[in-house]
Amino acid sequence: MEDVRYSLRLLGLAYILARHDATFVCDVIKLPLPVRVFFWLITKRNRKANKGVRLGNALQQMGPSFIKAGQALSTRGDLIGVELAEGLVSLQDKLPPFDGAIAKQIIEAELGDTIENLFTWFEHDATAAASIAQVHFATTKDGKDVAVKVLRPHIEAAFARDIALLYWIAKKIAKRMPRLKPVEVVKTFEETIRVELDLRFEAAAAEELKENTKHDPEFYVVAVDWVRTAKRVLTTERIRGFHASDKAGMEAAGIDTTKITEKAATAFFNQVFRDGFFHADMHPGNLFVLPDGRLAPVDFGIMGRIDHANQLVLAEILYGFLKGDYQRVARVHYDAGWIPPHVSVDLFAQACRGVGQPMMGKALNEISVGRLLGQLIDIGTMFEMETQPHLILLQKTMMTAEGVGRGLNPNVNMWQLAEPLITQWAQENFSPRAKLRDFAREALEVLRESPTVLREIRAYLGELQAKNA
């Protein structure tokens, strides 16, 4: 009965795919021949559009869960290929808003008070609506202008229903293509969504980013109103400024857009290499420019982390590519354990040359570091490269950030503007003194863990002795 129910729903989804010329994703499921013929007949051919864009348009029509699934897949170039992943980056997370009266009911239930007691003014119509939540502007009793994010009604039940379907599809795919680990992919997606469905996690992320960047004069993170924040409601300071894509508006206000690109490059570099915690959804709709020229991000639902060890690995890889030292790039992968020992380092270096050589001789402003990383991830799968979630998320974020920079000034590359920071960071972290510092840090970690390890060894020996007694 379950198979019948899921099969009928799957046919409905496949119909949507056919109308957007995206039935290629059904190939791995191997639908019966009559069904494939039927979908071939009803498919609206649109081969001029990128596959990822066509799939994204279909997912948009399927609803919230599939929009989020598409966004998750856009970070998995290792699974679906870089071209398809890059096409999905443009997937718009927008849905029609739900009634403002329902939003007020959710707020009152979550915060345990009336709208009248919480706000002097509350905007009935949402200013923005996405797959999981929508945003209303309001004014608090103490006169502060705020943005109130409210989860969609019954969104948890809708996701639970769709996740069950995705698990069913994943198990079918796993029988034919176990290497893709589709069940594990769905599990990771489920865990991500569970976090996004609790807005307290997003509030905590905003607070952490604000703490990390409090001394950065050109970067401003909104304050969280914790009194008016709960699991299904997030209230933050309201931002008034220009969307990062509004180049004309900024220029009319006398804001130098080239400097904005430089500030964005600096902010991104600091988050990744200084703090190890970065905003991973920095598209133009989530980045504002204040009237005084400061950058102000919003929507902290998707954040990334990278530890110091992986910061060093990433920096070595990028440095190796920029210098054309492909043996170094390959060796770094091998030493980090990303490539298994039985894989030929020389052969992997040759593959890296195939990725990096086309950019040699180009000016830095003509190079896309995000695309370079994407191609590296793509070839890595051919050499059994272990999946690196932080690297995949970072690659997607780089592509998005580069898109913002090109929109503001197509003749300037943000990595070119960040080159002094990159050079300084490399000098500080690859010097003999830095290597000694890292060695001391690792040794200290071992010493800290030693009592725990010793206790576990004693416990194990005790169990062995009891068994042999």
Side-chain angles (χ1 to χ4, degrees):
M1 187 63 183
E2 182 183 77
D3 280 355
V4 173
R5 184 173 73 253
Y6 286 140
S7 295
L8 289 174
R9 182 141 188 248
L10 188 60
L11 285 174
L13 296 176
Y15 178 80
I16 295 175
L17 291 171
R19 303 307 291 166
H20 290 276
D21 196 10
T23 52
F24 55 87
V25 299
C26 297
D27 293 344
V28 293
I29 304 176
K30 299 190 184 303
L31 295 169
L33 180 59
V35 176
R36 278 183 282 162
V37 171
F38 173 68
F39 285 123
W40 181 83
L41 291 172
I42 66 170
T43 294
K44 294 180 70 174
R45 269 72 181 176
N46 184 24
R47 299 298 157 84
K48 291 182 180 179
N50 173 284
K51 275 189 173 183
V53 173
R54 280 147 47 196
L55 178 58
N57 292 337
L59 295 174
Q60 182 82 30
Q61 188 176 339
M62 290 179 186
S65 302
F66 295 94
I67 291 173
K68 284 297 178 184
Q71 290 180 322
L73 286 173
S74 73
T75 69
R76 297 306 303 269
D78 59 323
L79 286 181
I80 63 175
V82 173
E83 181 186 359
L84 189 57
E86 288 181 0
L88 284 174
V89 168
S90 62
L91 176 60
Q92 296 296 306
D93 190 3
K94 294 180 180 179
L95 284 178
F98 58 91
D99 192 340
I102 297 175
K104 292 177 182 178
Q105 292 173 6
I106 294 172
I107 294 169
E108 291 179 340
E110 285 290 304
L111 302 182
D113 206 343
T114 64
I115 291 293
E116 289 73 24
N117 287 338
L118 293 166
F119 307 102
T120 56
W121 171 77
F122 185 89
E123 177 189 47
H124 180 81
D125 296 326
T127 189
S131 57
I132 284 182
Q134 65 185 35
V135 176
H136 295 258
F137 290 145
T139 303
T140 63
K141 287 288 187 178
D142 53 358
K144 293 179 180 177
D145 292 333
V146 293
V148 186
K149 188 173 186 176
V150 189
L151 287 186
R152 286 185 174 274
H154 315 300
I155 190 68
E156 296 91 344
F159 269 107
R161 182 177 63 252
D162 291 339
I163 288 292
L165 173 64
L166 291 175
Y167 270 121
W168 180 81
I169 295 172
K171 289 173 184 176
K172 299 292 184 186
I173 296 174
K175 293 178 181 178
R176 297 178 174 86
M177 306 178 71
R179 185 186 66 82
L180 294 181
K181 299 182 179 180
V183 175
E184 287 82 353
V185 171
V186 175
K187 187 175 187 299
T188 301
F189 173 61
E190 181 184 20
E191 291 170 351
T192 302
I193 290 299
R194 191 179 296 121
V195 170
E196 287 198 56
L197 290 177
D198 189 334
L199 295 179
R200 291 171 296 188
F201 284 98
E202 182 176 340
E207 193 82 9
E208 183 174 352
L209 187 63
K210 188 174 183 67
E211 177 66 23
N212 289 344
T213 59
K214 62 183 178 183
H215 298 302
D216 298 347
E218 302 295 345
F219 195 77
Y220 182 78
V221 179
V222 294
V224 175
D225 183 344
W226 287 100
V227 173
R228 296 171 180 82
T229 293
K231 182 177 181 180
R232 309 191 81 239
V233 178
L234 167 60
T235 303
T236 64
E237 175 184 2
R238 179 179 175 179
I239 287 294
R240 283 188 169 87
F242 304 94
H243 280 291
S245 58
D246 186 8
K247 182 179 179 180
M250 284 186 274
E251 289 179 342
I255 297 174
D256 188 337
T257 54
T258 298
K259 287 186 177 179
I260 296 302
T261 306
E262 183 175 357
K263 292 173 185 178
T266 301
F268 183 76
F269 178 86
N270 285 338
Q271 289 175 44
V272 173
F273 287 101
R274 183 192 66 191
D275 308 326
F277 183 66
F278 58 95
H279 194 302
D281 195 21
M282 197 67 78
H283 59 76
N286 283 344
L287 182 62
F288 285 84
V289 178
L290 301 180
D292 61 7
R294 287 181 298 167
L295 303 183
V298 297
D299 195 344
F300 310 91
I302 305 176
M303 306 294 290
R305 291 188 186 275
I306 179 169
D307 60 27
H308 185 66
N310 282 311
Q311 287 173 338
L312 292 174
V313 172
L314 176 64
E316 287 246 41
I317 290 171
L318 294 179
Y319 183 82
F321 269 118
L322 292 174
K323 295 298 181 182
D325 189 347
Y326 305 113
Q327 278 288 337
R328 180 175 186 170
V329 173
R331 177 57 61 180
V332 168
H333 280 77
Y334 184 85
D335 292 343
W338 293 4
I339 298 292
H342 66 268
V343 171
S344 167
V345 175
D346 291 335
L347 192 59
F348 185 57
Q350 182 181 341
C352 291
R353 181 181 294 274
V355 170
Q357 200 61 29
M359 74 177 189
M360 295 304 293
K362 287 187 176 181
L364 190 57
N365 69 323
E366 298 177 0
I367 296 172
S368 168
V369 178
R371 183 175 292 277
L372 173 68
L373 276 182
Q375 292 175 341
L376 180 63
I377 293 168
D378 203 23
I379 67 165
T381 59
M382 299 164 53
F383 292 87
E384 304 175 47
M385 179 174 164
E386 184 178 332
T387 299
Q388 303 297 321
H390 61 277
L391 186 64
I392 295 167
L393 186 58
L394 185 61
Q395 185 267 335
K396 177 207 171 187
T397 307
M398 282 184 169
M399 290 293 295
T400 305
E402 287 176 343
V404 172
R406 280 193 299 271
L408 293 174
N409 190 333
N411 299 316
V412 176
N413 185 298
M414 61 185 298
W415 311 118
Q416 187 177 26
L417 296 172
E419 187 178 15
L421 292 173
I422 296 171
T423 302
Q424 181 182 350
W425 190 90
Q427 290 172 348
E428 292 174 354
N429 286 274
F430 292 128
S431 67
R433 178 180 293 181
K435 291 180 179 178
L436 182 61
R437 179 197 63 206
D438 292 339
F439 174 78
R441 180 187 296 158
E442 291 174 7
L444 184 60
E445 285 298 318
V446 171
L447 289 173
R448 284 175 178 168
E449 294 177 3
S450 294
T452 303
V453 174
L454 288 174
R455 281 196 300 271
E456 291 177 354
I457 292 174
R458 289 195 191 101
Y460 178 69
L461 292 175
E463 291 175 4
L464 286 179
Q465 189 175 9
K467 289 179 181 178
N468 295 328

